[in-house]
Amino acid sequence: MSDVLARLRALQEGDLPTHGGSTLAYVYDSGLAEADEIGRTALAQYGATNGLDPTVFPSLRTLENDLVGWAARLLRGEAAVGTVTSGGTESVLLAVQAARDASPGITSPSMVLPSTAHAAFHKAAHYFGVRAIVVDVDPVTFTPRPEDVAAACDEATVLLVASAPSYAQGVVDPVPAIAAVAAERGVRCHVDACIGGWILPYLRLDGVEVPDFDFAVPGVTSISVDLHKYGYTPKGASILLHRDASLRRSQFFASADWPGYTMLNSTLQSTKSGAPVAAVWAVVHHIGDDGYQRLARTAYDAAVQLAGRIRTIDGLTVLADPATTLVALRSDERADVFTIADEMAALGWFVQPQLSFRGQPASLHLTVSAATAARMEELVKALESATRAAQLAGPVQVAPELAAAAGALDPSTLDDDAFDGLLSVAGLGDTATTGSLPDRMAPVNALLDVAPPRLREALLIAFLDRLMRPTWSAAGTDQHPLRRLVRRTAAC
Ligand SMILES: *Cc1c(COP(=O)(O)O)cnc(C)c1O
């Protein structure tokens, strides 16, 4: 048994560090070792429980109602109800699904999204057949103009969306104006506060001027807030709140159309581990309001400081003043951001490339968590030296013929051989078979950057398809009876 755990630890050595503040996307580190320990213990304690039925594990219902109450208080929803989901995407999916199903008479429902809305809304559009009407944001503020949102609505619009803040640029949309448009039309307005919903209320408590974005704003009907981001909890938890119980009803699903137990679900999952709810509950109560207020202030001050320091680095600009804890930056023409990201990786820092989009150049995204604050000087020095190195190297050049060819390809006409060829050209051929990424991602990113969005998607799906292939790794595989059976079957 200790052997398999040792093997797990060895495997993990190839992963990005989840703690220490040097991974500036995907993970969130409070820097509080005791909170992490409590989360891990609660996960283990509840790993075998099932949240399928709130009457058989009553403790899970208690924990969930307590957490939803905490979130409703933070987000000022006096009559709010909610559900703990597996993550931000599930919260967003359910908000869209609930909006769609609250208007069953509308045959081709639509939702209006700022172009900065999280991709989870496009996933919801894809899964649930809700048309996404995208409104471009102002190129300077990165927020949508409310009049553009109003003009984009059609007769079948069931939902308007605003972010607090958006992931890519970290700015808060004009929620009161967008919610007013929704209220006037009698449709729902979802505020995606997945990444800011556990930060903004605590910043407000700490005296920071925070724009109104929550249920205090008339017309806001639902809010998503992730615990596995700035709640600093183990992964697998977000909350979807509705302003009142009547708005949540269409989110729930029951089926009596089979001979087993009548299925009754509040989320996309049916059997679901109780572990994330228990872990979140334990961590949230351990850190507490005072702890979160301090953590929010620490990460926010660090983000503001980081943005200020980036502005002093020759060649870099910050896209927007951080509204919370997110910083996005661009480089001038002397360097490309993809090379800066590679140089940062070589120095031990993970920053996230964001490809060019609807006329906006490529950028880097840095999610600052409390643990990063203690390493600010180191981070700024790394950015300075990575930028200098990238300027010396110059931007990655994509051959113009290649860029033109990429622009002309129709991904729907490509077969598997064509994708294999394209992945090799992109520098991902070996990764697809070995699973290890190239040392330098800049050439890959530069090529993806000139590909139109549909081709980017198709290429990455082909990549994922090749990456995720099962291994037959049981010890002594050849002697395994199942293996012999398979071989015999294949032979006949
Ligand atoms: C992270 C995020 C999501 C998606 O959440 P996941 O937990 O990754 O599924 C949605 N919206 C915003 C604004 C986010 O930051």
Side-chain angles (χ1 to χ4, degrees):
M1 161 176 154
S2 60
D3 174 50
V4 292
L5 294 180
R7 281 165 60 195
L8 276 182
R9 272 193 296 277
L11 281 168
Q12 278 191 294
E13 279 169 21
D15 295 348
L16 278 177
T18 54
H19 289 80
S22 62
T23 305
L24 297 165
Y26 305 119
V27 297
Y28 301 76
D29 182 7
S30 66
L32 304 175
E34 201 186 354
D36 292 340
E37 176 59 28
I38 284 169
R40 278 194 299 275
T41 305
L43 273 182
Q45 192 175 327
Y46 268 78
T49 60
N50 192 341
L52 169 66
D53 179 338
T55 63
V56 290
F57 291 101
S59 71
L60 291 176
R61 172 173 160 264
T62 302
L63 300 178
E64 178 159 345
N65 282 337
D66 181 75
L67 284 171
V68 170
W70 190 303
R73 167 174 61 81
L74 277 186
L75 298 166
R76 302 188 286 187
E78 274 165 34
V81 298
T83 308
V84 174
T85 71
S86 63
T89 298
E90 190 178 17
S91 292
V92 165
L93 288 174
L94 289 170
V96 174
Q97 174 267 322
R100 182 195 70 174
D101 292 343
S103 299
I106 295 182
T107 45
S108 176
S110 69
M111 60 180 160
V112 176
L113 307 177
S115 59
T116 47
H118 195 278
F121 290 95
H122 296 281
K123 187 172 184 176
H126 178 67
Y127 279 13
F128 301 136
V130 175
R131 283 179 294 121
I133 300 174
V134 176
V135 174
D136 267 313
V137 295
D138 180 283
V140 175
T141 63
F142 301 104
T143 59
R145 281 173 285 259
E147 56 273 27
D148 293 348
V149 171
C153 295
D154 64 21
E155 286 310 302
T157 297
V158 296
L159 181 68
L160 306 188
V161 170
S163 306
S166 61
Y167 181 85
Q169 288 99 7
V171 295
V172 177
D173 287 339
V175 172
I178 293 174
V181 174
E184 194 182 319
R185 300 184 63 91
V187 302
R188 295 185 182 211
C189 174
H190 180 77
V191 174
D192 181 3
C194 278
I195 203 158
W198 215 262
I199 285 275
L200 289 164
Y202 288 112
L203 289 181
R204 187 190 290 121
L205 273 174
D206 210 55
V208 177
E209 205 173 309
V210 165
D212 277 332
F213 72 98
D214 59 14
F215 288 118
V217 177
V220 169
T221 55
S222 56
I223 302 178
S224 48
V225 51
D226 292 353
L227 276 315
H228 63 198
K229 287 178 179 158
Y230 284 102
Y232 295 109
T233 70
K235 293 299 186 208
S238 167
I239 292 178
L240 171 61
L241 292 172
H242 295 275
R243 177 180 284 277
D244 63 51
S246 71
L247 292 162
R248 184 178 62 176
R249 214 153 290 143
S250 55
Q251 175 198 319
F252 287 171
F253 178 80
S255 178
D257 276 335
W258 77 308
Y261 57 88
T262 300
M263 194 154 90
L264 177 60
N265 291 158
S266 58
T267 65
L268 295 173
Q269 292 179 299
S270 192
T271 282
K272 55 184 175 185
S273 172
V277 182
V280 165
W281 185 87
V283 170
V284 163
H285 281 273
H286 173 74
I287 293 179
D289 282 316
D290 291 346
Y292 281 119
Q293 190 172 327
R294 274 194 303 276
L295 288 167
R297 168 58 83 170
T298 301
Y300 171 72
D301 283 350
V304 170
Q305 193 195 348
L306 178 62
R309 297 289 295 275
I310 290 171
R311 288 190 167 110
T312 69
I313 300 177
D314 179 37
L316 298 187
T317 48
V318 170
L319 270 58
D321 289 327
T324 57
T325 52
L326 312 179
V327 179
L329 64 88
R330 261 182 211 156
S331 166
D332 65 17
E333 67 296 336
R334 286 174 288 162
D336 69 61
V337 291
F338 309 127
T339 305
I340 297 176
D342 282 348
E343 296 294 335
M344 287 296 283
L347 294 169
W349 293 89
F350 179 85
V351 298
Q352 191 175 49
Q354 303 186 128
L355 301 184
S356 60
F357 175 70
R358 287 167 98 93
Q360 296 288 339
S363 57
L364 293 179
H365 173 102
L366 288 73
T367 290
V368 177
S369 60
T372 309
R375 303 183 58 186
M376 191 51 58
E377 286 310 314
E378 230 186 300
L379 171 57
V380 172
K381 279 210 181 68
L383 270 172
E384 279 167 355
S385 95
T387 304
R388 259 197 318 276
Q391 287 168 349
L392 277 174
V396 171
Q397 303 292 343
V398 176
E401 328 67 272
L402 201 55
L409 278 178
D410 174 0
S412 68
T413 64
L414 301 176
D415 61 12
D416 265 337
D417 286 345
F419 277 116
D420 281 331
L422 284 171
L423 287 171
S424 298
V425 171
L428 289 172
D430 288 343
T431 307
T433 47
T434 66
S436 57
L437 286 173
D439 282 345
R440 305 205 53 101
M441 286 300 291
V444 179
N445 283 320
L447 195 60
L448 285 173
D449 200 54
V450 298
R454 295 294 84 74
L455 182 59
R456 281 180 198 167
E457 293 163 356
L459 261 176
L460 290 172
I461 285 173
F463 176 62
L464 186 63
D465 170 57
R466 285 150 182 77
L467 205 54
M468 304 311 287
R469 294 295 169 99
T471 45
W472 286 60
S473 63
T477 302
D478 278 352
Q479 296 316 311
H480 195 279
L482 195 59
R483 189 69 179 241
R484 288 204 297 273
L485 180 68
V486 169
R487 256 203 249 106
R488 246 202 323 274
T489 315
C492 56

